Amino acid sequence: MKKALRILPLAGLLALAGAAGAKPLVFCSEASPEGFDGGMFTAATTQDASSEAVYNRLVDFERGTTKVIPGLAERWEISKDGLEYTFHLRRGVKFHTTDWFKPTRDFNADDVLWTFQRMIDPKHPGANASPQGWPYAADMGFPTLIKKIERLDDYKVKFVLSKPEAPFLADLGMGFASIVSAEYAQQLHKANKPGQIALLPVGTGPYVFKRYDKGAQTRYEANPQYWRGKPGSDKLIFAITEDPAVRVQKLKRGECNFTVYPKPADIPQLKADPKLQVLSTKALTLAYLAFNTQKKPFTDKRVRQALALAIDKGAMVKAVYEGSAAPAHLPLPSSMWSYNKSIKPYSLDLAQAKKLLAEAGLPNGFETTMYVRNGGGGTNPNPKLTAEMVQADWAKIGVKLKIVPMEWAELLKRTKAGEHDTTINGWAGDNGDPDNFLTPNLTCASAQSGENRARWCNKSFDDLVEKAKRATDIKERTKLYEQAQQVFIDEMPWATLVEPMTTVVFQKTVTGFVPSPFTNNNFEAVAIR
């Protein structure tokens, strides 16, 4: 993409914006986005910077809830057999006008078809826009699930599924299902620049992308033709600040209005600041340690079980999270429906851990490595400290751990490629359905795509998850998901660490922000009074 001639300090940006009469909303975000097309990437920072700011989806979630409501589709019908979803599209929705694209028509059915067909059909002209493929669509099984998409007229489309899929409607509200402009994508295809769609995005959302300076900032302006009405702020700036302590200092100095994921130790002083508001919520999030089950000795579940039993999660909650988390053991948050309460949590047991290692032929332990993020995020405020605690715990059973910290985007790239032995990661739910934790993170399809950081493929687990998605009765789905969790705990592809609280902090002059159970940060209605 085009590079800016120079990068102004944030204070200079604010001065310029103020001089122009605008009142920018500045968000100190925790990491750089991978790009600006939700279909290509999975990181939460990317979704905030793209799906939430630039795009819309066919359906939305009611603010602050998991309830599905109309978005670019005004209404829909679902056939009795659960195989056909017919969407009636909203009229008069405008795509962004930018320096690199001038739309000649409104949003219509062609854009819906292009958005999804590029993700499910490798022969589609839009498929090669993403060199890394379409990870979320692949993990969710969309290429086989979606039998066809029919254009019934300019404002009506029908999805025909190969099998019933209970979470399908909610899936369409997720960031990867953000609707792109077919007209723009075709323009890029003809120019042999298909990947530019993720560098210079065009959407229908509340903010128009203006510029991205890698590692520093992303700038947006309010969409003057937004179909929901004027967004809350004239200008939106993402000031990329990986260090949580620096984010807090910027907030206090007024260099940003809003920030996320402060260090737990800083929360009391932030709450005491009369100029700030702190919101801590129990979101649908997990932090976990994934074992690369395709590498020895992690191919042996006894080794995985031993290492999980050697982790002192209670100490981790105190030292890393300052009490703003709870120990976890399953691949679902405890507040999620179908969470299996009958599975007894495993606790620190060094004697049993040593016994399991001996049974696996490793009585003296072994050496291994762990890839970790070098900055904090939504599920872990200090991954490096977490890794150091695990390092000390594993040393007690003879396992020597080398910690390899790296930048977030690099971590995602290298763990997706399967280079790691172990890694600390996390997940925030996207749609309020248990499937959203299990399918993208632990199925065979997600192991193949690399999004499954454990690279674990278990037929029994897959079959249970697949049956649960086909079932329409919630009691039946619950029973199947409970059984899948039992397979998980027996196999231990992860050592699930904690359920963290999610904290955001903003100046009291900020209005209109509603925390999401998915930890998304949407600034459509946020303003500064």
Side-chain angles (χ1 to χ4, degrees):
M1 65 180 291
K2 295 177 183 175
K3 247 192 140 172
L5 293 177
R6 62 195 179 104
I7 300 175
L8 290 172
L10 186 55
L13 285 171
L14 294 175
L16 281 178
K23 203 167 186 181
L25 173 67
V26 182
F27 168 42
C28 277
S29 63
E30 78 280 18
S32 298
E34 303 153 286
F36 297 91
D37 186 323
M40 297 185 190
F41 310 104
T42 60
T45 51
T46 299
Q47 300 304 333
D48 283 354
S50 59
S51 303
E52 299 297 324
V54 178
Y55 297 100
N56 295 119
R57 288 150 291 288
L58 289 175
V59 300
D60 282 329
F61 296 101
E62 186 176 69
R63 294 175 70 200
T65 77
T66 61
K67 180 183 177 182
V68 176
I69 60 173
L72 291 177
E74 292 183 310
R75 66 185 191 280
W76 53 85
E77 295 99 30
I78 305 172
S79 63
K80 289 184 179 181
D81 61 8
L83 295 177
E84 296 183 357
Y85 289 69
T86 303
F87 293 93
H88 301 263
L89 307 181
R90 197 175 297 275
R91 296 171 184 263
V93 176
K94 311 290 184 185
F95 277 102
H96 301 159
T97 295
T98 68
D99 293 341
W100 51 89
F101 176 67
K102 306 291 189 293
T104 64
R105 62 164 177 79
D106 291 351
F107 155 76
N108 67 24
D110 293 334
D111 306 303
V112 178
L113 266 64
W114 185 283
T115 296
F116 289 96
Q117 287 175 334
R118 65 182 185 153
M119 294 191 281
I120 65 175
D121 180 4
K123 295 181 180 179
H124 188 269
N128 63 350
S130 179
Q132 66 273 16
W134 305 92
Y136 226 133
D139 295 346
M140 304 296 280
F142 271 32
T144 55
L145 173 66
I146 300 175
K147 191 174 180 180
K148 61 180 176 179
I149 311 172
E150 296 180 2
R151 186 190 195 282
L152 302 182
D153 62 37
D154 281 355
Y155 293 97
K156 189 187 293 186
V157 295
K158 181 165 70 174
F159 287 74
V160 181
L161 307 186
S162 60
K163 58 191 175 184
E165 182 91 350
F168 182 68
L169 190 62
D171 290 345
L172 297 183
M174 293 162 56
F176 83 98
S178 295
I179 304 298
V180 301
S181 164
E183 184 183 15
Y184 177 46
Q186 288 164 349
Q187 173 184 302
L188 294 176
H189 180 70
K190 289 177 183 177
N192 199 28
K193 298 178 180 178
Q196 190 168 295
I197 197 168
L199 301 175
L200 297 172
V202 171
T204 59
Y207 289 96
V208 180
F209 176 89
K210 300 301 290 185
R211 192 177 79 202
Y212 171 53
D213 297 316
K214 186 173 175 59
Q217 58 169 297
T218 311
R219 303 194 72 198
Y220 311 84
E221 289 185 0
N223 179 1
Q225 298 179 303
Y226 190 44
W227 57 275
R228 280 195 178 113
K230 187 179 183 297
S233 301
D234 293 329
K235 296 179 183 293
L236 175 64
I237 301 170
F238 279 39
I240 300 161
T241 313
E242 292 190 359
D243 190 320
V246 177
R247 291 199 296 271
V248 165
Q249 289 306 312
K250 284 186 174 182
L251 183 70
K252 287 184 172 181
R253 292 196 299 263
E255 292 184 29
C256 57
N257 312 108
F258 188 101
T259 194
V260 290
Y261 318 136
K263 290 182 177 178
D266 291 337
I267 292 176
Q269 60 155 309
L270 293 171
K271 287 182 175 179
D273 191 322
K275 295 181 180 179
L276 302 177
Q277 183 168 347
V278 180
L279 289 180
S280 294
T281 57
K282 190 174 182 180
L284 298 174
T285 56
L286 288 176
Y288 64 88
L289 190 163
F291 306 109
N292 188 338
T293 61
Q294 294 181 356
K295 283 187 176 182
K296 291 183 177 181
F298 307 108
T299 51
D300 190 324
K301 73 175 184 179
R302 293 171 297 185
V303 174
R304 305 193 297 264
Q305 291 167 344
L307 295 180
L309 288 169
I311 298 172
D312 188 343
K313 288 183 279 191
M316 189 179 293
V317 166
K318 291 179 182 178
V320 179
Y321 294 87
E322 300 278 338
S324 60
H329 65 289
L330 292 177
L332 295 179
S334 57
S335 59
M336 176 72 76
W337 64 268
S338 83
Y339 179 85
N340 194 334
K341 296 178 182 178
S342 69
I343 297 176
K344 184 180 178 181
Y346 59 91
S347 56
L348 182 66
D349 191 336
L350 295 180
Q352 180 63 14
K354 290 178 181 178
K355 181 182 177 183
L356 286 166
L357 282 183
E359 290 175 0
L362 297 165
N364 299 316
F366 59 96
E367 296 183 7
T368 190
T369 62
M370 177 179 287
Y371 287 5
V372 297
R373 180 178 179 173
N374 59 9
T379 57
N380 194 319
N382 195 334
K384 191 169 182 293
L385 175 58
T386 304
E388 289 168 351
M389 295 189 74
V390 172
Q391 183 183 53
D393 289 339
W394 287 357
K396 295 173 185 176
I397 59 170
V399 176
K400 296 179 181 180
L401 176 65
K402 179 183 177 182
I403 300 168
V404 184
M406 60 189 69
E407 192 267 337
W408 179 227
E410 183 69 11
L411 178 75
L412 292 175
K413 178 183 176 182
R414 294 180 67 176
T415 55
K416 182 175 180 178
E419 296 179 20
H420 60 295
D421 294 336
T422 67
T423 186
I424 288 174
N425 214 313
W427 188 258
D430 294 300
N431 66 9
D433 195 284
D435 178 71
N436 182 240
F437 278 83
L438 306 182
T439 289
N441 291 311
L442 290 163
T443 57
C444 295
S446 60
Q448 186 173 0
S449 75
E451 295 301 320
N452 175 343
R453 262 53 188 189
R455 305 180 80 81
W456 178 67
C457 177
N458 182 282
K459 188 177 185 305
S460 296
F461 181 89
D462 263 32
D463 287 347
L464 289 165
V465 171
E466 187 63 31
K467 288 176 183 176
K469 287 196 288 186
R470 292 184 192 178
T472 55
D473 180 73
I474 195 165
K475 289 183 179 179
E476 184 182 354
R477 293 190 74 204
T478 295
K479 183 178 178 181
L480 291 164
Y481 284 134
E482 288 176 343
Q483 292 172 14
Q485 291 165 74
Q486 186 62 60
V487 175
F488 168 90
I489 207 73
D490 292 341
E491 291 286 322
M492 205 73 77
W494 296 350
T496 312
L497 301 175
V498 303
E499 290 184 47
M501 299 286 286
T502 297
T503 300
V504 298
V505 191
F506 47 91
Q507 296 172 341
K508 286 189 175 177
T509 53
V510 171
T511 64
F513 178 76
V514 177
S516 164
F518 313 127
T519 72
N520 298 338
N521 295 296
N522 185 296
F523 298 106
E524 178 177 325
V526 179
I528 303 172
R529 63 170 180 261

